[in-house]
Amino acid sequence: MGFLGSLGRHILKFIQALGFSSVFLFQALLTKPRLKSFHLLLKQFYVVGVLSLPIIIFAGFFVGMVLGLQGYTVLVKYGAESALGQMIALTLVRELGPVLGGLLFAGRACSALTAEIALLKTTEQLDSLRLLGVDPLHRVIAPRLWAGFFCLPMLVLIFNAVAIYGGYWISVDWLGIDGGSFWSSMQSSVDFRQDIINGVIKSIVFAIAVTWIAVYQGYVASPTSEGIGYATTRTVVYSSLVILALDFILTAVMFTGLK
Amino acid sequence: MPQNSITEPKVSMRDIHFSRGNRVIFDGVNVDIYPGKITAIMGPSGTGKTTLLRLMTGLLKPDSGDIFVNGENIKDYSEAQLNHMRRGMGMLFQSGALFTDMSVFDNVAFALREHTDLPESMIHDVVLMKLEAVGLRGARDLMPRELSGGMNRRVALARSIALDPDIILYDEPFAGQDPITMGMLVKLIRLLNDTLGLTSVIVSHDISETSEIADYIYLLSDGKVVAQGTSEEMRASTSAHADQFMHGKADGPVPFHYAAPDYYQDLMRINEE
Ligand SMILES: Nc1ncnc2c1ncn2[C@@H]1O[C@H](COP(=O)(O)OP(=O)(O)OP(=O)(O)O)[C@@H](O)[C@H]1O
Ligand SMILES: [Mg+2]
């Protein structure tokens, strides 16, 4: 009984939070855009997107190189090392790009978003905005949401491109695979609609989920220094788990039954 | 009610009840703020003075009771309506709450840029006028982190009067100010109130400054208004609360200590286990 009771309470709390955060999301997004606020959006593109670039490029390059090394040791047993390009590209475009890109984004950009919004709340800056007749959902939350929605898919594309280059470098310059067959195996097997578009859809879904989590956790954080820390931790944990769970669901829907 | 009964109050709070968790903050509070007057809200630390200002501006909603601003009940206002109403109100937060990513100048210019289509040259002049009024025209290019606590709050004051509101709420305007600035702020508050016909609400612990400029004083304690009147009435009041607070006595109806066990027993750990 005690267990069931507390389970029930947790489920109720979860549904309530889902309701609140949905209202929050729509209130923030359903506003008519104003030319005056365009610079706010640009600033967030810089903070969320450009500042995440170094970690995405660095990680992408190493992931691509590891894929090259690992793939080679398996494929060479079957004399299929010329399919290395295909293996690297498909793994990245379908899975690793969106998932790893999303996880890195959660750790780098989402945690920063939560901490920043929670700090604005703690220092009463959100209330100051209200007192000056400005809705913080429009001024603070909306540009951050849009920036997150757009930047993560872009970052994933960049991650994939860099990783493929890293894989190419290992395979061709290190392991001595023929460069022509590396590219041609990739070109003949990667399908634009099936693979690339589905990968981009994944990254868009992840972007919406993790950015939403990040700004909401910041907005409802309890306004103390402790609260900021908790909220930031929650953002990283929730968004990482949500990425992995959503990835399973999307993969099941998109890729089962493929050759 | 008390003062000039012909004019309508600018802000009127009727039978306000408000709790935080199990803790009752207000238990039936009535407060009227009359136009053109300086009304002071006083009371011991932690009684809910800041909370009262937040209720007046719609940042918090009471559990029950009505709040009228300019005669309109704000109970069912949407966030957009509240934001519109707040453009006519200025509030100086206890912490200042300046926007940390903007310079002093941009902080003060914020509301003007947001709500008016004034050309930048005009905004420049208005901002310098407001900063001059608080003695910080020379600090316009500093960032909030480069300001002292007292300067921070003076910039916040300049920001809250940028749109020329007709109600200003000051949460502890004198805290952390040196005597010279304090005197200047007292003059400024009085000047703003009298020349622009503003309505002011001051939350403060500084009895001498406050009773010098306040037209009417409310004393809050234990979730209720325990005394109210002009400063002369309050000083002369025979009410135990007013007497204790206005003359700063440690003994009286308001305990200095938070509820605690007997000091001697606590020190000797007599009641532990
Ligand atoms: N966010 C909050 N959550 C829970 N309780 C709160 C919160 N904010 C304030 N309180 C409680 O409400 C009470 C009133 O707080 P408030 O800030 O209004 O006091 P105050 O009269 O302004 O005090 P001071 O003179 O020290 O500024 C306090 O006892 C405080 O413990
Ligand atoms: Mg206070």
Side-chain angles (χ1 to χ4, degrees):
Chain A
M1 193 56 223
F3 171 72
L4 278 185
S6 81
L7 184 71
R9 251 198 310 283
H10 275 99
I11 293 177
L12 278 182
K13 250 169 82 180
F14 175 75
I15 294 175
Q16 199 180 34
L18 204 62
F20 276 133
S21 57
S22 306
V23 173
F24 163 85
L25 183 70
F26 286 110
Q27 278 182 347
L29 294 183
L30 297 181
T31 54
K32 54 176 192 298
R34 296 194 315 163
L35 203 60
K36 264 186 182 176
S37 338
F38 189 67
H39 71 282
L40 295 172
L41 195 62
L42 279 187
K43 183 175 173 208
Q44 291 310 316
F45 270 90
Y46 176 76
V47 172
V48 170
V50 176
L51 292 186
S52 302
L53 264 180
I55 179 176
I56 287 285
I57 290 175
F58 182 88
F61 195 69
F62 277 90
V63 167
M65 290 196 299
V66 168
L67 279 178
L69 283 177
Q70 291 284 10
Y72 181 80
T73 57
V74 176
L75 293 176
V76 80
K77 284 189 201 153
Y78 306 97
E81 64 270 25
S82 59
L84 198 52
Q86 163 185 0
M87 194 219 80
I88 292 177
L90 284 182
T91 318
L92 281 169
V93 172
R94 288 183 181 175
E95 285 298 335
L96 284 189
V99 171
L100 286 184
L103 291 176
L104 290 170
F105 187 80
R108 165 67 184 76
C110 291
S111 57
L113 280 179
T114 305
E116 192 199 3
I117 295 169
L119 189 66
L120 290 178
K121 182 177 181 185
T122 307
T123 52
E124 293 182 316
Q125 294 184 51
L126 295 185
D127 284 336
S128 294
L129 281 174
R130 290 196 182 93
L131 248 300
L132 295 170
V134 175
D135 190 338
L137 285 181
H138 303 165
R139 171 141 189 130
V140 175
I141 302 297
R144 285 168 174 77
L145 281 169
W146 288 120
F149 293 174
F150 282 102
C151 287
L152 178 52
M154 300 291 169
L155 291 170
V156 167
L157 290 178
I158 294 169
F159 182 93
N160 287 341
V162 174
I164 288 173
Y165 180 75
Y168 173 86
W169 186 69
I170 281 287
S171 319
V172 176
D173 294 344
W174 243 47
L175 304 169
I177 290 176
D178 176 49
S181 66
F182 183 89
W183 291 123
S184 67
S185 77
M186 193 183 298
Q187 205 178 8
S188 61
S189 63
V190 178
D191 180 78
F192 181 73
R193 223 209 65 74
Q194 280 295 359
D195 299 315
I196 303 203
I197 294 290
N198 274 343
V200 170
I201 290 176
K202 267 190 181 177
S203 65
I204 292 174
V205 173
F206 295 168
I208 293 173
V210 297
T211 316
W212 181 14
I213 290 174
V215 295
Y216 181 69
Q217 288 297 338
Y219 196 73
V220 299
S222 83
T224 58
S225 37
E226 216 181 12
I228 300 175
Y230 281 134
T232 312
T233 312
R234 268 200 303 273
T235 290
V236 175
V237 172
Y238 290 172
S239 45
S240 307
L241 295 181
V242 161
I243 285 176
L244 296 174
L246 283 176
D247 184 53
F248 171 74
I249 296 169
L250 290 174
T251 302
V253 172
M254 289 170 170
F255 297 109
T256 45
L258 280 192
K259 300 141 277 228
Chain B
M1 284 207 26
Q3 299 149 328
N4 191 342
S5 53
I6 301 157
T7 43
E8 284 278 303
K10 199 90 179 140
V11 180
S12 174
M13 306 180 84
R14 299 266 69 94
D15 195 28
I16 298 295
H17 291 256
F18 184 78
S19 314
R20 293 255 195 205
N22 295 330
R23 188 158 174 204
V24 177
I25 312 273
F26 295 124
D27 185 17
V29 164
N30 292 298
V31 168
D32 286 304
I33 311 294
Y34 281 88
K37 304 277 191 218
I38 298 180
T39 307
I41 313 277
M42 304 183 86
S45 187
T47 35
K49 304 180 294 298
T50 301
T51 310
L52 197 76
L53 297 189
R54 293 178 154 262
L55 287 166
M56 276 183 205
T57 50
L59 289 176
L60 289 173
K61 293 221 181 290
D63 299 337
S64 69
D66 295 298
I67 299 168
F68 298 89
V69 176
N70 295 321
E72 285 193 50
N73 195 337
I74 65 169
K75 190 191 258 172
D76 300 315
Y77 269 19
S78 68
E79 191 62 25
Q81 283 173 304
L82 283 173
N83 278 331
H84 193 265
M85 169 195 94
R86 288 176 191 136
R87 287 184 212 173
M89 293 178 139
M91 175 159 168
L92 175 64
F93 282 85
Q94 205 163 354
S95 65
L98 291 179
F99 301 129
T100 42
D101 57 345
M102 295 179 200
S103 68
V104 164
F105 185 94
D106 291 337
N107 261 283
V108 181
F110 179 83
L112 295 164
R113 290 184 178 142
E114 202 63 33
H115 297 306
T116 69
D117 288 317
L118 293 179
E120 199 58 26
S121 63
M122 194 103 87
I123 290 180
H124 181 265
D125 295 349
V126 175
V127 171
L128 290 195
M129 268 163 53
K130 305 292 177 188
L131 283 174
E132 174 73 15
V134 297
L136 288 175
R137 190 164 47 84
R140 75 187 96 159
D141 293 325
L142 298 181
M143 295 301 282
R145 63 173 175 278
E146 298 169 301
L147 302 175
S148 74
M151 289 161 83
N152 195 296
R153 295 152 57 68
R154 280 192 276 156
V155 174
L157 176 56
R159 182 181 66 178
S160 58
I161 57 176
L163 280 182
D164 295 324
D166 47 26
I167 307 173
I168 305 195
L169 314 171
Y170 305 91
D171 199 348
E172 315 240 359
F174 309 124
Q177 303 291 353
D178 60 81
I180 302 168
T181 317
M182 188 117 102
M184 188 214 83
L185 281 178
V186 171
K187 278 210 202 75
L188 179 66
I189 291 173
R190 189 81 249 181
L191 190 77
L192 284 172
N193 198 78
D194 295 351
T195 56
L196 300 177
L198 297 183
T199 305
S200 316
V201 180
I202 295 186
V203 164
S204 176
H205 296 299
D206 289 276
I207 304 197
S208 59
E209 270 71 25
T210 310
S211 48
E212 183 185 325
I213 58 170
D215 296 307
Y216 202 78
I217 298 176
Y218 285 92
L219 184 58
L220 289 178
S221 182
D222 275 337
K224 291 206 158 56
V225 174
V226 290
Q228 62 184 71
T230 61
S231 33
E232 295 77 47
E233 287 167 3
M234 291 291 274
R235 256 193 300 261
S237 168
T238 48
S239 132
H241 278 100
D243 179 55
Q244 185 196 1
F245 198 82
M246 298 302 285
H247 301 107
K249 297 180 180 166
D251 274 330
V254 178
F256 164 66
H257 295 286
Y258 202 86
D262 182 75
Y263 190 34
Y264 175 76
Q265 294 192 349
D266 220 7
L267 282 179
M268 304 312 282
R269 299 179 171 77
I270 287 175
N271 281 341
E272 281 188 12
E273 294 154 65

